[in-house]
Amino acid sequence: MTVRTDWQAWHEPYADASSPLSRRLRLVQQHIASWLDERAEERLTVVSACAGQGHDLIGVLAARPDTRRLRVTLLEYDAGNVAAARAAADRAGLSHLVIRQADAGRPSSYAGAVPADLVLMVGVFGNISDADVERTVAALPQFCAAGATVIWTRARRTPDLTPAVRRWLRDAAFAEEAFHAPDDVRFSVGVHRFEGTPHPLDATGTLFTFLR
């Protein structure tokens, strides 16, 4: 019998500020905040795949006065995490965020939410097959507006897939802006800017399936 991950319990290490998960979160949040500071447009679109309880985006947006210029969609499959994210957004005065219970592995779930100026693939690539990672990276131009930023994470367990992920991103017309791989933990955080031509969304099929 396959033991399925309790994705609500998975979030518990966020309560420990010194945990690897919290450290990864802070790095992701720093890049989200920097991206917002650098983008002065009156309207920006953000989409987060497998958003969990929304800690990365909600944690940043709760402290900012400019959230109304953002059209934000969080995609999350687990009903408990969706409820937690909606409650957190309401507490932070961010009720305009769209938090959708949907399978982010299906391109159809992104209809109406893309093309986006910021795409979060946080906690995705470490939970799917290598082939699905490659397929998803190749599909990112369908989710990105011109000049979009993608923030992604992946654990560097053996064999380390991150060199391949970075190569696949280059092949898909993304330029690397940052890559964090701390020596004392296994997580990595990458930030890439899309320099290619956006592709229309192909809403058919499946990009990835969670393995746990």
Side-chain angles (χ1 to χ4, degrees):
M1 180 181 295
T2 301
V3 177
R4 305 301 295 177
T5 300
D6 182 337
W7 289 109
Q8 295 170 61
W10 182 91
H11 286 71
E12 291 175 0
Y14 281 126
D16 177 1
S18 64
S19 72
L21 197 60
S22 290
R23 290 174 58 187
R24 190 188 78 175
L25 173 64
R26 287 193 292 272
L27 271 173
V28 171
Q29 288 179 330
Q30 288 167 16
H31 281 290
I32 293 172
S34 295
W35 178 82
L36 285 166
D37 290 340
E38 293 166 1
R39 298 290 298 256
E41 293 94 327
E42 293 184 0
R43 292 289 182 270
L44 290 166
T45 300
V46 180
V47 65
S48 177
C50 305
Q53 296 178 5
H55 290 292
D56 40 23
L57 276 172
I58 294 171
V60 174
L61 300 183
R64 297 185 66 96
D66 59 347
T67 61
R68 287 289 174 179
R69 70 187 177 118
L70 305 177
R71 183 168 67 92
V72 179
T73 303
L74 285 74
L75 303 176
E76 170 58 32
Y77 186 77
D78 184 87
N81 284 337
V82 169
R86 287 173 176 163
D90 287 344
R91 288 193 301 270
L94 300 169
S95 57
H96 61 288
L97 270 59
V98 176
I99 302 171
R100 184 184 302 168
Q101 185 175 1
D103 183 353
R106 294 183 175 274
S108 58
S109 298
Y110 298 81
V114 296
D117 302 293
L118 177 64
V119 177
L120 300 184
M121 287 282 168
V122 176
V124 178
F125 293 164
N127 295 299
I128 63 180
S129 71
D130 294 358
D132 281 1
V133 175
E134 183 174 10
R135 183 182 303 107
T136 301
V137 170
L140 284 174
Q142 299 180 38
F143 303 152
C144 290
T149 293
V150 173
I151 302 175
W152 60 276
T153 63
R154 164 77 189 206
R156 288 171 288 120
R157 57 181 174 269
T158 304
D160 184 1
L161 191 68
T162 60
V165 175
R166 297 162 79 184
R167 182 177 69 251
W168 294 334
L169 283 160
R170 288 195 300 272
D171 292 345
F174 288 86
E176 185 170 283
E177 295 193 328
F179 180 72
H180 303 275
D183 290 336
D184 59 333
V185 290
R186 294 196 305 174
F187 73 72
S188 60
V189 176
V191 182
H192 281 69
R193 183 182 68 259
F194 183 48
E195 295 187 332
T197 301
H199 297 183
L201 179 66
D202 178 358
T204 62
T206 299
L207 289 176
F208 62 80
T209 302
F210 265 40
L211 298 176
R212 334 190 256 140

